[in-house]
């Protein structure tokens, strides 16, 4: 039996603003840990966020470049989860009412024109960064740097229109070029300003029903994205051909 893979991507793009999305702290990369923080981005009691107008402008610019419809009303929501790099215990994001929807990107892979539908572009704040290595006591402790907490992001979510790892990497490269060209992202994947989550499932060729998906998070290079997808496709095919079920997991 032959199988085909079904891939959808979620791309997290930091916006090139000088200050964070809800406060005036600097977004500059490489500063001393916890030096670009304030009561707002640390989530201290009584702190009131004020939306960065430039971040909204850049999000709209990205939505237009990706062929989306810009919504007349978009609403921020709380995404609740508890992790050390999220000082408030929730992330300010957009859920039911994102800033842009229903886009389309055309790009070329191996001389063939591909089309990927964009489900949504929504705004959110980045989390801090947990540091698990580089310290003398890293085997016992995790350190947290909140400089990145509150940096403005857009998340670009595709439909599951991709079928091969090369298609996914080609789309990611195309998207990076678009974001660079319109000046909303610096394209620096090594510093984490552009990251990708991949949702992947497999199904028998000819089937239209989607299989059980697995999410692979925080991929920060085209090579890593392709390698991770190839590994996960092979893993899922082995599970299915053995007569067992793929677990939905991250």
């Amino acid at each position: 039996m032959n199988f085909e893979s079904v891939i959808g991507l979620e791309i997290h793009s930091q916006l090139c603003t000088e200050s964070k999305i809800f406060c005036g702290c600097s977004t500059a990369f490489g500063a001393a840990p916890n030096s670009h923080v304030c009561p707002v981005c640390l989530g201290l009691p009584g702190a009131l966020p004020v939306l960065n107008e430039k971040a909204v402008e850049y999000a709209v610019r990205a939505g237009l470049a990706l062929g989306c419809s810009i919504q007349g009303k978009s609403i921020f929501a709380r995404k609740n989860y508890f992790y050390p790099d999220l000082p408030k215990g929730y992330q300010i994001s957009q859920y039911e009412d994102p800033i842009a929807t229903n886009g389309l990107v055309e790009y070329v892979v191996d001389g063939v024109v591909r089309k990927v539908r964009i489900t949504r572009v929504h705004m959110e704040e980045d989390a801090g960064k947990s540091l698990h290595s580089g310290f003398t006591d890293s085997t016992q402790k995790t350190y947290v740097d909140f400089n990145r907490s509150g940096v403005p992001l857009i998340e670009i979510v595709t439909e599951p229109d991709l079928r091969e790892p090369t298609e996914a990497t080609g789309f990611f490269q195309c998207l990076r070029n678009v974001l660079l060209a319109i000046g909303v992202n610096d394209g620096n994947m090594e510093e984490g300003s552009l990251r990708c989550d991949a949702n992947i499932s497999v199904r028998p060729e000819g089937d239209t029903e989607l299989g059980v998906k697995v999410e692979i998070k925080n991929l920060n290079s085209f090579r890593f994205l392709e390698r991770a997808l190839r590994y996960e496709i092979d893993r899922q095919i082995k599970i299915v051909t053995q007569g067992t079920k793929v677990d939905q997991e991250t």
Side-chain angles (χ1 to χ4, degrees), residues 11-16 172-195 219-222:
I11 289 91
H12 300 262
S13 168
Q14 288 185 356
L15 301 175
C16 291
F172 195 13
Q173 288 172 327
C174 171
L175 190 62
R176 178 179 181 272
N177 291 337
V178 170
L179 298 174
L180 280 169
I182 62 175
V184 304
N185 180 270
D186 63 12
N188 196 325
M189 299 169 73
E190 290 184 359
E191 294 180 357
S193 61
L194 188 63
R195 314 188 292 272
L219 298 161
N220 68 341
S221 83
F222 306 125

Side-chain angles (χ1 to χ4, degrees), residues 91-126:
Q91 179 187 34
I92 301 177
S93 182
Q94 293 182 330
Y95 180 61
E96 292 179 339
D97 297 287
I99 196 165
T101 58
N102 299 323
L104 182 69
V105 173
E106 295 187 6
Y107 66 105
V108 178
V109 175
D110 297 328
V112 179
V113 176
R114 309 285 186 182
K115 296 182 179 180
V116 176
R117 292 169 293 164
I118 305 298
T119 309
R120 56 192 281 136
V121 177
H122 66 258
M123 301 179 67
E124 61 187 18
E125 59 179 348
D126 211 343

Side-chain angles (χ1 to χ4, degrees), residues 4 6-11 62-63 65-69 100-107 113-121 155-163 167-168 171-172 174-175 197 199 203 208 210:
E4 75 170 357
V6 179
I7 303 166
L9 300 181
E10 301 172 8
I11 289 91
L66 299 175
C68 294
S69 299
T101 58
N102 299 323
L104 182 69
V105 173
E106 295 187 6
Y107 66 105
V113 176
R114 309 285 186 182
K115 296 182 179 180
V116 176
R117 292 169 293 164
I118 305 298
T119 309
R120 56 192 281 136
V121 177
E155 181 173 341
I156 301 163
V157 181
T158 78
E159 292 290 319
D161 291 343
L162 301 156
R163 293 294 175 266
E167 291 183 29
F171 172 77
F172 195 13
C174 171
L175 190 62
D197 299 344
N199 293 287
R203 64 187 178 188
T208 57
L210 294 174

Side-chain angles (χ1 to χ4, degrees), residues 200-202 210-214 236 245-249:
I200 174 75
S201 65
V202 299
L210 294 174
V212 178
K213 70 177 181 179
V214 171
Q236 291 189 26
K245 293 184 179 181
V246 175
D247 292 326
Q248 182 169 334
E249 59 186 344

Side-chain angles (χ1 to χ4, degrees), residues 44-176:
L44 299 183
L48 296 177
V50 177
L51 183 59
N52 185 332
E53 181 179 355
K54 182 62 72 172
V56 177
E57 176 189 327
Y58 283 177
V60 170
R61 189 184 298 182
L64 293 173
L66 299 175
C68 294
S69 299
I70 306 302
Q71 303 305 297
K73 179 180 76 172
S74 59
I75 297 176
F76 284 97
R78 290 184 178 187
K79 180 181 178 181
N80 293 282
Y81 67 92
F82 296 94
Y83 201 71
D85 63 10
L86 197 68
K88 294 190 293 294
Y90 61 87
Q91 179 187 34
I92 301 177
S93 182
Q94 293 182 330
Y95 180 61
E96 292 179 339
D97 297 287
I99 196 165
T101 58
N102 299 323
L104 182 69
V105 173
E106 295 187 6
Y107 66 105
V108 178
V109 175
D110 297 328
V112 179
V113 176
R114 309 285 186 182
K115 296 182 179 180
V116 176
R117 292 169 293 164
I118 305 298
T119 309
R120 56 192 281 136
V121 177
H122 66 258
M123 301 179 67
E124 61 187 18
E125 59 179 348
D126 211 343
K129 186 174 182 180
S130 296
L131 306 173
H132 304 289
S133 61
F135 302 93
T136 56
D137 54 354
S138 291
T139 56
Q140 288 84 34
K141 295 181 180 180
T142 293
Y143 289 77
V144 183
D145 180 4
F146 289 116
N147 282 347
R148 197 175 68 181
S149 182
V151 170
L153 290 177
I154 51 172
E155 181 173 341
I156 301 163
V157 181
T158 78
E159 292 290 319
D161 291 343
L162 301 156
R163 293 294 175 266
E164 297 292 335
T166 52
E167 291 183 29
T169 55
F171 172 77
F172 195 13
Q173 288 172 327
C174 171
L175 190 62
R176 178 179 181 272

